[in-house]
Amino acid sequence: MPHPIIAIDGPAASGKGTLSRNIAEKLHYAHMDTGSLYRAVAFEVLEADGDPENESDSVRAAQSLTKKIGEASSPSSILDNPKLREDDVAVGASKVAAIQRVRDRLVTLQRDFAQNPGEGYEGAVLDGRDIGTVICPEASVKLYVIADIEIRAERRMKELQSKGIAATSGTVLEDMRARDARDTERKSSPLKPAEDAVMVDTSQLSESEVLEKALEIIQEKLSGPTIS
Ligand code: DC
């Protein structure tokens, strides 16, 4: 029996990252935050004074990233860089992610991770924008995590404040709308739910309630032993 793959997609600040980490921890699955790949490409472009909207700058960075990850002892040594969480990198990431040749360079890495999550792991959880639709259409469970845009902007505000970064709620909301538009309206692998995805709305739920709901769905889909 192949191991289960859980695909989790959704817009920025919907809660999919936290949920994916919590599921991975609970079920002893390996987790890949695929957004960090696009962030790492953007970071590399910006470090080289390139333009994330320039195809050759971004494709070159994607090639160099996949090579570095291939040579590293684990992808997390590159993808856990706190600089990848910065705002200019996030904006750059949504630009490089619209370039099909960048996406093509990152497909194999993500599929390999899903197929070979590593020794000791019982499955794989990947979160992003196109996991259920493009990267792992065969995933055993697909969740599409959403939340009202005002709530997502509020979460983002809190995150910025906790890092001591000043921002106004109007600007954060505007940025969120712009990123949503770039993610959903691009031609290459736009953000959308897979036909067989189950929607999880986190607007009114706590972190543990979201996890509980997701575990119920997973258990039903996998019809495995009780998860407690
Ligand atoms: O989830 P995130 O905010 O870290 O993602 C950063 C950007 O990368 C986001 O604007 C969309 C893009 N992305 C993507 O296009 N496909 C993925 N599987 C993951 C992220």
Side-chain angles (χ1 to χ4, degrees):
M1 258 280 280
H3 61 261
I5 296 172
I6 301 180
I8 305 190
D9 292 302
S14 56
K16 65 182 186 316
T18 305
L19 174 62
S20 307
R21 279 191 297 277
N22 287 341
I23 291 174
E25 195 184 334
K26 189 84 182 169
L27 302 183
H28 310 289
Y29 285 12
H31 170 229
M32 179 180 260
D33 159 13
T34 64
S36 64
L37 294 171
Y38 294 92
R39 286 172 183 261
V41 171
F43 180 66
E44 188 136 346
V45 173
L46 296 172
E47 285 281 282
D49 280 331
D51 173 5
E53 280 180 330
N54 179 289
E55 180 157 343
S56 50
D57 285 356
S58 295
V59 171
R60 201 175 313 118
Q63 261 161 343
S64 139
L65 176 73
T66 48
K67 187 161 177 278
K68 275 189 205 155
I69 291 181
E71 289 164 359
S73 53
S74 99
S76 57
S77 60
I78 295 164
L79 302 179
D80 289 349
N81 179 357
K83 289 194 179 144
L84 301 188
R85 312 318 306 170
E86 289 175 6
D87 252 15
D88 56 335
V89 177
V91 171
S94 73
K95 292 179 178 167
V96 304
I99 301 171
Q100 184 61 49
R101 287 175 59 213
V102 168
R103 306 195 71 84
D104 292 345
R105 294 290 179 290
L106 302 177
V107 168
T108 309
L109 224 158
Q110 297 172 77
R111 289 196 179 139
D112 279 354
F113 181 87
Q115 296 305 330
N116 309 294
E119 209 161 308
Y121 292 110
E122 292 169 29
V125 187
L126 288 87
D127 75 273
R129 304 292 192 287
D130 62 342
I131 309 302
T133 50
V134 176
I135 302 295
C136 302
E138 77 288 9
S140 344
V141 185
K142 298 179 188 175
L143 303 178
Y144 194 80
V145 182
I146 51 167
D148 300 338
I149 191 158
E150 288 78 11
I151 290 178
R152 291 192 284 122
E154 208 179 291
R155 289 175 185 164
R156 184 77 191 121
M157 269 290 281
K158 284 197 184 131
E159 193 189 332
L160 291 173
Q161 279 164 355
S162 73
K163 291 182 188 161
I165 301 169
T168 64
S169 51
T171 324
V172 172
L173 188 60
E174 224 171 86
D175 285 354
M176 190 74 75
R177 283 214 171 92
R179 272 185 74 190
D180 280 2
R182 271 201 294 274
D183 289 348
T184 54
E185 289 166 17
R186 67 179 181 223
K187 277 205 225 98
S188 305
S189 310
L191 168 66
K192 63 173 183 193
E195 273 176 25
D196 49 349
V198 181
M199 296 283 174
V200 177
D201 187 337
T202 68
S203 305
Q204 306 300 332
L205 301 179
S206 67
E207 188 177 321
S208 58
E209 287 169 334
V210 175
L211 176 62
E212 196 181 324
K213 192 175 173 130
L215 290 175
E216 271 170 28
I217 298 166
I218 294 167
Q219 191 165 350
E220 195 179 307
K221 292 271 179 192
L222 300 180
S223 350
T226 306
I227 300 158
S228 58

